[in-house]
Amino acid sequence: MDYSDTEEPYRRRPRKMAYLGDSSRRQFESLSGRPYALMGDMSFLQEEDISLDATRARWTNVLKRHSDLAERLSRDADKTIYERLQKEFEAARALQTQEIYLDGEQWNDGLLATIRERVHMEVDRKAMAGDVNMLPGPQIQEKITYKVGNKVICCLEGARIGILYETSYAGEPCDLYHCVLESKSFLEKMTVLEHTIPYFLPLREAENDLLSSNAMKFIDYIGELLQSYVDRREQVRLAKELYGNQIKEIYYTLPYNLIAFSLVDFDCKVIVKLKYSELVSVLPTHVSVVAWPVHQYRKTSLNASSMNKKENGSLEGPTTLSYAEDALQNMSLPEAYAEIVLNLPQALRDICEGSS
């Protein structure tokens, strides 16, 4: 169909211009002659504040929705697996005849090979006997569980080795995580059959890099990964619990390897950024703590000259707080926060006096 005839009248139709009456025209002419430079600056600053607030609100909403979705998916998908594996591990420990605590060099590749051999011998014995209820010999009957640091290693049915990771924080027990390893035969490499480890931690990468070449190193690394994650998470939780009325706008990734928050209950706004380059770290590898003049974050009617004006010994511009960065690199987050707040007034006075 040819739409040219239909569209032609619309293209030719002239645009109507709004008519300005005498009073409106006079008002427009009077306004057009006024100096708007200062007011334009003020409007720009106010629009910038509104834009930043809108962006911050949208970002906060996205983070909240992401967190809720991740929690719901994790809860629904992993709850059944967690409950089943937890029952299986509890049953294996209940049937154990001995629990051996290993320390230092006692936990080695030779012991892991012995555990692998034990589970395959049990499978072969049941296959040859054809009767799972047949009484085993004295060596096979022995069921041993090994405890190494925060790991409990036990033999599960079907040539599987189970590792239970017991995490803690400040001496108090926290979450339990499971990892089940399986191999078709004693000579074949092991693989991760199932687990309850959070999906955002690099389990599969570790499996590909370590499990086939050094199973003991893989098991130890996953333990460090989980404990470090719980440690970082609990540091943030405790800091929010103790100082939630002072900490504002806190953001963090799911593995808590990037953390950012601000403090605004002082004569400046302090922005803290923490980065953990390694997921097995409990202290940040990169820290940034910057104090900003508080008037740059408040919605006040400031003219251009007051933006750079130093009043009553306040900060003139962004200033790095080195003492705070040192504290965060050497202390846990709650301890470092207390140190920062305690010394912040004196640090600000020293900075202002040194710049005066």
Side-chain angles (χ1 to χ4, degrees):
M1 181 182 292
D2 186 5
Y3 292 94
S4 59
D5 295 338
T6 306
E7 295 175 353
E8 185 65 24
Y10 293 98
R11 289 201 296 265
R12 294 178 179 176
R13 184 177 299 170
R15 181 180 297 176
K16 292 182 179 180
M17 302 297 294
Y19 174 75
L20 293 176
D22 292 338
S23 59
S24 299
R25 184 163 47 249
R26 285 194 299 271
Q27 183 179 8
F28 176 78
E29 291 172 352
S30 63
L31 289 174
S32 62
R34 292 176 57 184
Y36 275 90
L38 181 58
M39 186 173 294
D41 292 340
M42 288 299 304
S43 298
F44 175 76
L45 291 175
Q46 291 176 353
E47 290 175 1
E48 189 178 48
D49 286 343
I50 294 173
S51 177
L52 287 173
D53 287 342
T55 302
R56 185 181 296 111
R58 287 196 297 269
W59 178 243
T60 301
N61 185 48
V62 168
L63 288 177
K64 184 178 184 303
R65 290 172 60 188
H66 182 271
S67 178
D68 293 343
L69 177 61
E71 181 181 358
R72 185 166 63 253
L73 289 174
S74 178
R75 182 175 61 249
D76 295 343
D78 296 339
K79 184 177 180 180
T80 302
I81 298 176
Y82 178 90
E83 292 177 348
R84 175 172 54 78
L85 288 180
Q86 184 61 20
K87 289 180 180 179
E88 189 171 3
F89 274 74
E90 289 175 354
R93 298 186 73 176
L95 294 174
Q96 71 184 18
T97 58
Q98 185 179 6
E99 184 168 271
I100 300 177
Y101 288 81
L102 304 176
D103 188 18
E105 296 182 354
Q106 291 179 319
W107 167 236
N108 51 51
D109 292 325
L111 177 62
L112 183 58
T114 300
I115 298 174
R116 291 189 62 188
E117 184 180 16
R118 185 183 296 275
V119 296
H120 283 286
M121 287 176 62
E122 181 70 5
V123 170
D124 293 340
R125 183 194 65 81
K126 290 182 178 179
M128 289 186 295
D131 183 3
V132 295
N133 296 317
M134 186 184 72
L135 292 177
Q139 293 183 350
I140 302 298
Q141 186 178 10
E142 190 177 24
K143 295 183 178 294
I144 302 176
T145 298
Y146 302 90
K147 187 166 178 57
V148 190
N150 68 334
K151 303 177 289 292
V152 177
I153 304 172
C154 57
C155 302
L156 302 177
E157 295 290 333
R160 296 176 301 149
I161 297 176
I163 302 99
L164 176 68
Y165 294 98
E166 301 174 329
T167 62
S168 62
Y169 179 72
E172 296 296 326
C174 290
D175 303 332
L176 299 176
Y177 299 97
H178 314 80
C179 184
V180 179
L181 305 179
E182 181 189 47
S183 63
K184 300 301 181 181
S185 69
F186 177 72
L187 299 177
E188 294 187 26
K189 69 177 183 178
M190 289 188 292
T191 59
V192 175
L193 180 63
E194 53 186 348
H195 64 89
T196 59
I197 295 168
Y199 70 91
F200 46 79
L201 296 179
L203 173 67
R204 293 305 174 185
E205 291 84 344
E207 179 183 4
N208 295 332
D209 294 341
L210 298 175
L211 186 54
S212 59
S213 59
N214 193 329
M216 190 187 79
K217 189 174 181 179
F218 166 82
I219 295 172
D220 290 343
Y221 174 73
I222 296 301
E224 294 176 19
L225 196 68
L226 290 168
Q227 181 57 55
S228 301
Y229 156 68
V230 170
D231 204 304
R232 293 191 301 270
R233 184 194 69 191
E234 291 302 301
Q235 287 185 50
V236 172
R237 181 196 62 78
L238 185 57
K240 290 170 61 177
E241 181 180 307
L242 296 176
Y243 311 108
N245 60 327
Q246 296 176 347
I247 297 178
K248 308 295 181 183
E249 301 172 351
I250 184 166
Y251 306 103
Y252 45 83
T253 56
L254 290 176
Y256 292 85
N257 61 330
L258 294 174
I259 302 170
F261 60 90
S262 62
L263 320 176
V264 293
D265 288 350
F266 304 95
D267 294 334
C268 63
K269 180 169 183 175
V270 180
I271 299 179
V272 179
K273 298 178 181 179
L274 309 176
K275 180 180 179 181
Y276 302 77
S277 298
E278 299 291 336
L279 290 178
V280 293
S281 300
V282 296
L283 293 175
T285 51
H286 300 283
V287 177
S288 171
V289 183
V290 178
W292 291 78
V294 73
H295 56 69
Q296 294 190 18
Y297 286 90
R298 288 180 178 171
K299 294 180 181 179
T300 57
S301 299
L302 297 174
N303 56 34
S305 62
S306 66
M307 294 296 291
N308 295 318
K309 184 178 179 182
K310 182 178 177 180
E311 299 177 353
N312 300 324
S314 61
L315 295 175
E316 289 183 304
T319 304
T320 299
L321 301 180
S322 299
Y323 85 95
E325 294 181 347
D326 292 339
L328 287 163
Q329 287 180 320
N330 294 281
M331 302 179 184
S332 69
L333 181 56
E335 294 173 328
Y337 182 90
E339 182 77 10
I340 293 171
V341 172
L342 179 65
N343 295 288
L344 183 58
Q346 183 60 47
L348 293 177
R349 283 195 295 268
D350 294 342
I351 292 171
C352 294
E353 290 174 1
S355 61
S356 59

